[in-house]
Amino acid sequence: YYVNAARLFATRRWPEFQVRFREPNSNVWSSTKAVALMASRVPDLGGVFSGTTPRASITEARLHVQILAGPAWISMPAWMFCGRVGLPNRWLRTVDVSEVECDGPGVFAQAEGEPLGQLPISLRIVDNALYLLMP
């Protein structure tokens, strides 16, 4: 997994794309550019991502979003390293949102490592959208 991720990082272009987001209980949209974005509701993703999402919470109706500014060849390694050791990262913007939209030509999205297709994509919390049946 890590070898393939390193290969993809070294061989792929990481073009900028447009990000728009709305913070919880707000109708105001903010906008920025990014080379990568990760939305999470889990406070520890483990592995190389361990320590990158400590403010995420599955019990709150918000997404914990990390937005990486370019250039990717600096910001992505800094994201992993700084998150792991707790150092500030000037290429990373972290914000809790109720909704986020991404758009850009030729940029692909994924969920849990599975491809979703090309942007645009919109992410938001939907109340009561998933029911679990348990014994």
Side-chain angles (χ1 to χ4, degrees), residues 1-2 14-15 29-30 35 43 48 75 80 83 86 88 115-116 128:
Y1 177 81
Y2 294 123
W14 297 90
W29 286 86
S30 298
V35 293
V48 71
S75 64
M80 298 300 128
L116 295 176
N128 301 315

Side-chain angles (χ1 to χ4, degrees), residues 111-133:
E112 297 288 326
E114 299 297 325
L116 295 176
Q118 291 189 13
L119 300 184
I121 190 170
S122 177
L123 305 170
R124 67 184 176 280
I125 302 295
V126 178
D127 289 335
N128 301 315
L130 175 67
Y131 294 97
L132 298 177
L133 301 177

Side-chain angles (χ1 to χ4, degrees), residues 13-129:
R13 276 188 345 104
W14 297 90
E16 278 192 331
F17 57 91
Q18 187 67 38
V19 176
R20 289 179 8 109
F21 60 88
R22 205 167 44 85
E23 295 184 40
N25 304 316
S26 172
N27 290 324
V28 177
W29 286 86
S30 298
S31 147
T32 190
K33 298 254 185 204
V35 293
L37 179 140
M38 183 172 69
S40 178
R41 292 188 70 199
V42 181
D44 190 353
L45 300 171
V48 71
F49 290 101
S50 187
T52 59
T53 58
R55 288 188 358 220
S57 172
I58 193 118
T59 60
E60 295 185 32
R62 61 181 170 79
L63 292 168
H64 183 68
V65 175
Q66 298 192 339
I67 304 166
L68 280 176
W73 66 273
I74 294 174
S75 64
M76 286 186 169
W79 182 30
M80 298 300 128
F81 176 76
C82 294
R84 197 142 187 80
V85 299
L87 293 174
N89 181 346
R90 68 182 224 109
W91 296 279
L92 176 67
R93 179 175 182 180
T94 302
V95 62
D96 293 325
V97 305
S98 57
E99 188 170 5
V100 62
E101 298 175 346
C102 302
D103 194 12
V107 178
F108 288 85
Q110 64 171 314
E112 297 288 326
E114 299 297 325
L116 295 176
Q118 291 189 13
L119 300 184
I121 190 170
S122 177
L123 305 170
R124 67 184 176 280
I125 302 295
V126 178
D127 289 335
N128 301 315

